[in-house]
Each structure stands twice: as C-alpha cells, then as structure tokens.
Amino acid sequence: MRLPDFKVEQWMNVYENDAVYNLTDTCVSPLTFGELTAMDSEQSLSDLKLDYGTITGDVHLKKEILSLYQSGTIDNITLMQGCLQANESVIYTLLSPGDKVIVFEPGYQQFADLPRSIGCDVISLKLYEENGWQPDVNELEEAMKQKIRMIIVNQPANPTGVLFEKAYCEKMIELATKQGTYILSDEVYRGLADEASISDLYEKGISTSSLSKIFSLAGLRLGWIKGPQEVIDQINVRRDYSIISTGPLADRLACIALKNKEAILSRSRAIISANQKVIAAFLDAHPRFHLVMPKAGTVGFLGYDAEIDDTMLAEQLLKKEGVFFVPGSCFGSEKHLRLGFTCDCETMRTGLEKLNEFLENL
Ligand SMILES: Cc1ncc(COP(=O)(O)O)c(C=O)c1O
C-alpha cells in the first residue's frame, strides 16, 4: 500500500536544519541525557541488562503512566515507540476497508491519510477559526447519521491548539455510545492544563501519547496507548509482529522522567507561558497577524494578512532570514503558519520581528 507524502514531516526533514530561528517546533526545548539521569542519582544505568525487557512495557513505567489518568489498570496500557506509532497501531488494528472515519481539519495528516490508505471512507469536519477553532456540533450530528467506526480527535490539537468545548465532547460521546463508535484521541499535547482524557470519559475511548512534546524527550521514542483491555490485547498481538518491546533503556529513562514529572512540566509551563507573553505583545503591536491563543498544548496557528501564500512565505523567510515555520497548507489551511511556543523567548521575539519586517517589505 502506498502512502502520500506526510507534508509536515517532509517539510521538517527538508528545512529544519537550516533554521536559525525555529519558531515552529512542537516539542518543548529538549532535555539532555545528563539532565534526565541527574533527576535520579540513586539508580545506576550501568547495571541495566539490555535484553528485550518486559514485552508490553516495564510495570513500574506503566504505573507511572497510569498516574496521568483517572481510571484503569496497567492492563489498559501498552507501550509504543512514540505517539505516531501508537496511532498507527490503533488505526491498523481497528479499521478495515470501507469503514467510515471522522477527522477534523485543519489537522494532523496521519489521522486522515492512514485510514484512507487502507480503504476507509474519511469524513472531514471543519474547525472554524472564527469560533476559536471549535467544530460545529450540527455537522457532527449530520455525519453520524451514517454508521461511523471511529472518530479521531487530537486534544489539544496540532496545529490549532484547540481543545473541544465540554458540551461538544459530551455530544460526541453520546452519539458514539449509540453506535459503538471508537474515539481515538491523540493526547500527545495533553498534561499542561487540566485536560480530561477520552480514556477516562468513554468506555470505547482510546488515548495515545508520548514523552516527546510536553516532557521534552522526543529522542526517547517512548509512547503508549491507553484503552479498553480487549483493544489493548489485540494491539499486543500486532505488536509481537512489529516491535516486540520498547526495551529496558527507554523504559527506565521514561520511568525517571515520569517520576519527576512535576519538575519537567513546570519547566515546560514556564517556557510556554514566557513565549505566549512575547507573542501576545507582538499581536497587539501588529494587527495584520491573528492567533487564537490556546489554553493548553505547545502550538497555535498564526494567521496573517498579506498577498503571499504560506508555502512561499515559509520558504523565502527561511532562505532570507533564517526564520523557520511550517506553512498552514501542510495541515489543510492556507495563509497560516504553525507557531510553537517551545523555543527561548529571545528567539521568539527576534523571529517574529523578522517575519513582520519581511511582510512589510514585500
Ligand atoms: C498530533 C501529533 N501526534 C503525534 C506526533 C508524533 O509524536 P511522537 O514523537 O510521540 O511519535 C506529533 C508530532 O508532531 C503530533 O503533532
């Protein structure tokens, strides 16, 4: 089966290394190996046996992951090499050709194109910027007059940063319950505010996440799925064919990170809120830009008013000024740039001023 290019990942692969001012990264500024291991000076890594480890994931680590949720047991969790793989596993395990799937746009391409690649019928519902990037509940009700196998959400979302309103979530769960529809929620950006998890709210809710974004540890490639046990059991069968285990080294390091989650998350909150202050001041001073400031997550979707399309803008801005953005077209929405709140403030301030000057001089 052939997959189309994953636009945002391709863009990052091709251009990221040329960035002087990276204003688009979704991962909070990464921790080093030394910074992470210093959080647990009692345990030495040198006696760690590098066998496969516990196949579906170290029990201590699963318990730490469980502490991020309000319900379930460790049997509701299986480990993955990142959230992307967690999503892929859920999609390949539960979907078949002809199944109908609801996704939201602008959004992360994996949610639509992976189901499409296996012959699913993908129904894309719009997120409305004028309504704070919220979807329209009437459109959901209309779509769910058909038999829907899975709804895929991303809470908080990339690139819009939106968290669906409570009333919308309740309606979605009510409609899904009637049909037995699965709700897969990519929650890789969840955990900085007090966001609920779909796996705590709905019996057919499946949450995927990882340590990549708010935990600043993308290089560990450590993610997980939390969901109904029968789904986890099916995924574990598939897992035996693909990854076997995440391995004791990643499991041990992930365990250190989660044991110290308060310290890591308060670092992330500080970085994000400092960036958001810089951005808010920039928006006040420059009315040609607009942004729905997210309540959670690490990214927002910056709109601009100028006669240049977003792909050309992102390319020229990088080439001439070293300022790096992913263009909105990679997520299905033009005249926008994906803005990460993850770099240091001086980089953010300078990068945004360079963006403004570039548009002034067009
Ligand atoms: C919505 C979403 N899910 C998953 C991922 C990938 O996460 P991981 O590094 O855990 O595979 C990304 C990365 O940008 C993302 O934006």
Side-chain angles (χ1 to χ4, degrees):
M1 149 230 327
R2 237 183 118 76
L3 286 164
D5 284 353
F6 199 146
K7 292 183 200 147
V8 54
E9 302 303 336
Q10 286 272 329
W11 187 273
M12 300 291 282
N13 295 350
V14 173
Y15 294 116
E16 189 171 26
N17 291 338
D18 299 335
V20 183
Y21 306 94
N22 186 341
L23 266 53
T24 209
D25 207 331
T26 55
C27 304
V28 180
S29 182
L31 289 168
T32 64
F33 185 81
E35 284 168 330
L36 178 62
T37 48
M39 291 179 188
D40 186 0
S41 48
E42 278 169 24
Q43 284 197 49
S44 151
L45 287 172
S46 58
D47 62 350
L48 187 70
K49 271 205 198 111
L50 292 176
D51 55 5
Y52 282 117
T54 310
I55 298 305
T56 65
D58 179 77
V59 172
H60 301 289
L61 174 56
K62 283 189 180 176
K63 284 185 180 158
E64 290 297 336
I65 292 172
L66 200 58
S67 74
L68 305 173
Y69 299 89
Q70 287 176 355
S71 64
T73 71
I74 58 168
D75 295 331
N76 297 109
I77 292 170
T78 194
L79 299 193
M80 288 284 149
Q81 286 157 345
C83 185
L84 204 59
Q85 190 188 54
N87 295 337
E88 181 195 53
S89 250
V90 175
I91 287 168
Y92 282 160
T93 302
L94 295 179
L95 296 181
S96 309
D99 283 343
K100 291 189 171 23
V101 178
I102 292 178
V103 300
F104 296 84
E105 207 178 42
Y108 196 57
Q109 191 181 337
Q110 185 194 29
F111 308 144
D113 278 348
L114 213 51
R116 256 185 214 122
S117 77
I118 49 180
C120 295
D121 180 6
V122 174
I123 301 158
S124 183
L125 300 184
K126 201 168 168 223
L127 299 176
Y128 292 93
E129 186 170 21
E130 59 277 23
N131 196 16
W133 293 114
Q134 293 293 327
D136 180 337
V137 78
N138 297 320
E139 292 179 13
L140 178 67
E141 284 183 296
E142 188 56 36
M144 292 204 66
K145 287 182 179 158
Q146 308 172 69
K147 174 93 181 135
I148 304 294
R149 173 79 170 159
M150 184 181 282
I151 305 172
I152 306 181
V153 299
N154 181 201
Q155 298 285 290
N158 178 12
T160 57
V162 69
L163 263 181
F164 292 172
E165 280 166 1
K166 195 161 174 260
Y168 189 93
C169 290
E170 284 169 358
K171 191 66 184 175
M172 181 169 69
I173 290 171
E174 181 194 314
L175 294 167
T177 305
K178 280 189 194 144
Q179 292 199 13
T181 304
Y182 288 105
I183 302 179
L184 165 59
S185 180
D186 175 322
E187 296 173 356
V188 77
Y189 297 101
R190 166 181 173 260
L192 291 169
D194 198 14
E195 316 97 310
S197 167
I198 196 70
S199 67
D200 291 327
L201 298 175
Y202 176 46
E203 61 179 356
K204 286 196 152 186
I206 303 160
S207 162
T208 54
S209 193
S210 80
L211 296 181
S212 295
K213 309 295 179 183
I214 64 170
F215 291 97
S216 304
L217 292 166
L220 273 190
R221 308 308 301 133
L222 198 293
W224 59 87
I225 303 169
K226 176 174 177 267
Q229 198 179 334
E230 68 279 7
V231 172
I232 298 296
D233 290 346
Q234 284 180 61
I235 287 171
N236 283 342
V237 172
R238 176 174 285 275
R239 228 172 145 275
D240 286 338
Y241 285 88
S242 56
I243 65 167
I244 301 182
S245 71
T246 43
L249 182 58
D251 286 13
R252 172 80 72 90
L253 293 171
C255 209
I256 296 175
L258 286 176
K259 278 198 172 120
N260 292 280
K261 58 179 178 285
E262 291 317 326
I264 296 179
L265 294 184
S266 53
R267 170 186 178 271
S268 297
R269 284 189 196 99
I271 293 173
I272 290 167
S273 84
N275 273 305
Q276 286 180 334
K277 281 189 193 126
V278 173
I279 295 162
F282 174 80
L283 294 172
D284 278 348
H286 302 294
R288 74 155 78 227
F289 298 97
H290 56 274
L291 173 87
V292 178
M293 190 63 87
K295 296 192 182 81
T298 70
V299 293
F301 214 25
L302 181 68
Y304 63 88
D305 183 13
E307 289 308 312
I308 180 168
D309 81 61
D310 49 276
T311 304
M312 195 178 286
L313 171 58
E315 265 170 3
Q316 291 193 4
L317 197 61
L318 180 64
K319 206 160 143 200
K320 296 193 175 143
E321 304 291 342
V323 181
F324 182 49
F325 283 107
V326 177
S329 305
C330 290
F331 305 94
S333 180
E334 287 167 13
K335 295 260 176 125
H336 283 83
L337 302 167
R338 203 260 312 276
L339 181 60
F341 313 135
T342 56
C343 59
D344 68 89
C345 284
E346 214 28 64
T347 301
M348 178 62 73
R349 197 171 288 117
T350 314
L352 286 176
E353 285 307 332
K354 283 182 181 290
L355 164 66
N356 184 54
E357 273 162 33
F358 184 89
L359 290 183
E360 294 282 302
N361 293 331
L362 267 186

